[in-house]
Amino acid sequence: MNLSFNKNEDHNKLLWSSIRQQFATITLGGGKKQLQKLRDKGKMTARERVEYLVDSDTEALEIGAFAASGMYEEYNGCPAAGVVVVLGYIHKRLCVIVANDASVKAGAWFPMSGKKNLRAQEIALENRLPIIYLVDSAGVFLPLQDEIFPDKEHFGRIFRNNARMSSKGILQIAAVMGSCVAGGAYLPIMSDESLIVDKTGSIFLAGSYLVKAAIGETIDNETLGGATTHTEISGVADYKVKDDPAALDHIRALMDKVGAPDTAGFNRVEAVAPKLDEKEIYGLLPASRNQPYDTYPILERLVDNSELQEYKKGYGKTIITAYARIDGWSVGIIANQRKVVKSAGGEMQLGGVIYGDSADKATRFIANCNQKKIPLVFLQDVTGFMVGSKAEHGGIIKDGAKMVNAVSNSVVPKFTVIMGNSYGAGNYAMCGKAFDPRLIVAWPSAEMAVMGGSQAAKVLAQIEASSRKKKGEPIDEIEQERLYKKIKEGYDKQTSPVYAASRLWTDAIIDPLTTRQWISRGIEAANHAPITEAFNMGVLQV
């Protein structure tokens, strides 16, 4: 391999190593002491519960592990937003599992905790997957109650989703394995079946201290809302179990008896590994986000047998559209070509930029995949749409609008992998979070922003310099360079994959070598939800 390949490989492996180290810290939740306190009470930790619940010969994929990273520092942080969410198998049945982490502020709900729980329910709703709640939470984190309590996408939406899923026949099982208080107490009874662990589980709208203050009644928490009360007196819970392992065994036994799901009928054959070495992706992806590169060799290391059946290969070359298979699943791939290419007219086109012809090609390909019931996979490394008088006169806005329309109205499931840049309207056209991909993941090399850090910093520095000049406070070149570096440093932090994942703009930061696994698991989940509507792009100015 050449020197450039080796440098790229070292850079990208170091990026992934940094992500792994950060994840290792996140898995400690509220810290080793807090985790041990739970064990001393006879409880399992959230991650131990999830690991016990899922089939031992399978790997669960974690959703939102980096949620709330770098946030809530004034409260000593909230690792993983205080909740563990995975896509995992229980008796070979794919499920969404949501486990409160009581080592983080007793499992209290921060604003990002609510957003993450809603994302878990959204995945279950879209894909008609069973969802399992392992409840152990002190309720809303009161200092931030105004950011989680009253709005449409806040805490109450969870119970609305409980009701909607039940009406659609989507199985929900709740195991109360610790506190379940206040508004959160509605979750078990709004689930289809509920369990409660004796002595450690409790459900009540108000605890004993609040009851005493409110109505003067003196009562202990166990009598008020313990396992015996709720399985023998109130009937709130369906099963009383002796400890955490018994609760998890009971859930597994319930799932073992669930009927087979309907399927969407997506095409799958026996999987074939890529002919080319997947590990070479590290060396093929440039260390610099501004450096052009050929996207084809990367695609050939992601698809079965390294085979692409390309659609309109000679047209609109800054977007690659191709049929392929990933882990046996038939997919339609839409990927940004980062190499400088020649247009049909002989003009040079910048890699990573969406031109009118490439947008037109992608639009038609999306329509074809919808007609054939083929899931779409978007691989983003995009700097945006082409600008300038020639592009504007050629109708780039109209061509871009057609592509955005097709992405928006697609009825087959969409999956998005952010390999590198994800800037501006390119993020939208290539199925960013706003366009409902079933899963959206990022490589450690990803950057998401309105524009690149250098470009944005130059614009902002120029605006600041102009503003000061108008005030009679002009700045010299040295000061302008200092200002540029300061702005770029802050902007670069906001474009990082961790920043995006902390706010759930992506579902996960993944090792590029697990991309096939994530897409395959996502399509398997989507195959549980038959397509019930036709593809229709509505009114367009063509």
Side-chain angles (χ1 to χ4, degrees):
M1 292 296 177
N2 59 34
L3 182 61
S4 175
F5 182 97
N6 292 335
K7 285 183 176 180
N8 292 340
E9 184 177 44
D10 290 344
H11 174 80
N12 288 309
K13 284 185 174 180
L14 283 172
L15 285 180
W16 176 238
S17 177
S18 173
I19 295 298
R20 286 203 320 268
Q21 290 171 21
Q22 292 177 66
F23 176 70
T25 301
I26 288 169
T27 61
L28 296 176
K32 293 181 179 179
K33 287 184 178 179
Q34 292 299 322
L35 293 174
Q36 189 56 47
K37 281 184 179 180
L38 294 176
R39 297 186 185 107
D40 292 343
K41 293 177 181 178
K43 298 166 70 174
M44 301 166 75
T45 69
R47 292 182 181 277
E48 288 169 349
R49 289 167 175 168
V50 171
E51 184 179 3
Y52 187 103
L53 184 59
V54 299
D55 294 346
S56 58
D57 59 343
T58 64
E59 181 181 356
L61 300 183
E62 184 163 354
I63 304 294
F66 284 83
S69 291
M71 301 171 69
Y72 312 123
E73 294 300 324
E74 64 272 38
Y75 303 107
N76 297 317
C78 184
V83 61
V84 179
V85 175
V86 304
L87 269 176
Y89 297 95
I90 303 175
H91 276 294
K92 299 182 180 180
R93 183 68 178 265
L94 189 57
C95 302
V96 177
I97 303 169
V98 181
N100 298 117
D101 187 348
S103 76
V104 180
K105 297 290 190 297
W109 290 61
F110 283 68
M112 283 305 302
S113 312
K115 186 172 183 178
K116 185 170 175 178
N117 276 267
L118 289 173
R119 176 58 180 146
Q121 289 185 319
E122 181 180 42
I123 292 171
L125 268 165
E126 286 184 328
N127 300 292
R128 301 187 66 85
L129 294 178
I131 183 167
I132 315 297
Y133 307 99
L134 307 180
V135 184
D136 194 347
S137 172
V140 167
F141 186 64
L142 292 178
L144 297 173
Q145 65 85 27
D146 63 319
E147 297 179 38
I148 188 173
F149 170 66
D151 209 349
K152 180 179 179 180
E153 299 296 332
H154 283 179
F155 193 74
R157 189 79 171 183
I158 292 166
F159 311 123
R160 180 263 188 193
N161 287 347
N162 288 144
R164 294 288 296 157
M165 280 190 279
S166 184
S167 72
K168 293 177 181 295
I170 299 170
L171 177 62
Q172 300 174 85
I173 299 173
V176 179
M177 309 177 81
S179 297
C180 183
V181 303
Y186 288 105
L187 188 143
I189 199 61
M190 296 192 75
S191 297
D192 300 304
E193 294 190 78
S194 61
L195 305 78
I196 184 168
V197 178
D198 196 23
K199 302 302 187 249
T200 56
S202 58
I203 308 171
F204 36 67
L205 294 179
S208 56
Y209 292 120
L210 186 54
V211 168
K212 176 70 173 177
I215 64 173
E217 180 183 2
T218 301
I219 190 171
D220 63 90
N221 282 337
E222 184 64 26
T223 305
L224 180 66
T228 299
T229 295
H230 284 310
T231 57
E232 298 180 16
I233 301 173
S234 72
V236 165
D238 302 311
Y239 310 98
K240 179 171 76 171
V241 291
K242 66 176 182 178
D243 54 23
D244 283 9
L248 300 170
D249 286 337
H250 197 101
I251 293 171
R252 287 187 56 80
L254 290 173
M255 289 303 305
D256 187 38
K257 299 171 182 66
V258 176
D262 295 332
T263 66
F266 300 130
N267 185 300
R268 191 182 197 185
V269 299
E270 186 175 349
V272 179
K275 281 184 179 178
L276 303 176
D277 189 355
E278 294 175 74
K279 294 178 182 177
E280 291 177 354
I281 290 173
Y282 291 127
L284 293 168
L285 190 70
S288 170
R289 294 277 29 90
N290 298 322
Q291 184 179 338
Y293 66 92
D294 191 352
T295 305
Y296 283 98
I298 291 179
L299 297 182
E300 290 165 352
R301 286 159 175 81
L302 292 175
V303 301
D304 287 17
N305 208 37
S306 301
E307 289 182 350
L308 296 166
Q309 185 179 8
E310 198 164 352
Y311 173 79
K312 288 185 176 288
K313 182 175 182 178
Y315 179 71
K317 294 181 181 179
T318 64
I319 284 183
I320 299 166
T321 51
Y323 301 106
R325 290 192 182 274
I326 293 178
D327 198 34
W329 293 105
S330 171
V331 297
I333 289 177
I334 300 173
N336 301 112
Q337 169 61 297
R338 282 300 312 273
K339 186 174 72 171
V340 176
V341 297
K342 273 188 178 182
S343 71
E347 298 170 339
M348 300 308 294
Q349 294 185 334
L350 298 173
V353 177
I354 302 176
Y355 288 77
D357 54 358
S358 49
D360 176 69
K361 176 173 78 171
T363 300
R364 294 187 62 178
F365 184 69
I366 290 168
N368 285 346
C369 287
N370 273 271
Q371 187 181 50
K372 297 174 181 178
K373 204 159 71 171
I374 298 175
L376 291 163
V377 177
F378 293 82
L379 294 153
Q380 288 193 11
D381 195 342
V382 59
T383 53
F385 283 88
M386 189 57 189
V387 297
S389 61
K390 185 172 183 179
E392 297 292 1
H393 296 170
I396 185 66
I397 296 175
K398 186 166 59 177
D399 292 328
K402 286 190 289 186
M403 183 175 174
V404 168
N405 189 302
V407 174
S408 303
N409 286 301
S410 178
V411 297
V412 295
K414 307 180 293 278
F415 304 90
T416 302
V417 180
I418 303 173
M419 304 188 301
N421 301 332
S422 181
Y423 296 157
N427 169 281
Y428 300 158
M430 291 294 294
C431 197
K433 184 64 182 289
F435 291 81
D436 296 327
R438 297 292 178 97
L439 289 175
I440 177 169
V441 297
W443 289 359
S445 48
E447 292 185 0
M448 296 176 66
V450 171
M451 62 182 73
S454 297
Q455 186 180 2
K458 284 178 183 177
V459 171
L460 293 170
Q462 288 169 2
I463 292 172
E464 179 64 18
S466 177
S467 175
R468 292 192 190 183
K469 186 177 180 180
K470 287 181 181 179
K471 295 176 182 177
E473 304 169 359
I475 58 178
D476 57 25
E477 289 185 8
I478 295 175
E479 173 64 11
Q480 187 156 348
E481 180 64 20
R482 186 199 66 78
L483 182 62
Y484 164 78
K485 288 181 178 178
K486 181 180 178 182
I487 293 172
K488 186 176 185 302
E489 182 180 330
Y491 199 89
D492 285 346
K493 180 181 177 182
Q494 293 182 8
T495 65
S496 76
V498 172
Y499 191 92
S502 71
R503 286 147 181 82
L504 289 175
W505 300 342
T506 61
D507 291 315
I509 306 171
I510 68 168
D511 181 352
L513 304 187
T514 64
T515 303
R516 283 168 53 83
Q517 181 185 10
W518 275 86
I519 293 172
S520 177
R521 185 74 59 87
I523 298 175
E524 182 183 350
N527 201 38
H528 287 68
I531 297 171
T532 58
E533 55 184 315
F535 175 67
N536 186 338
M537 288 180 59
V539 177
L540 281 175
Q541 296 186 43
V542 296

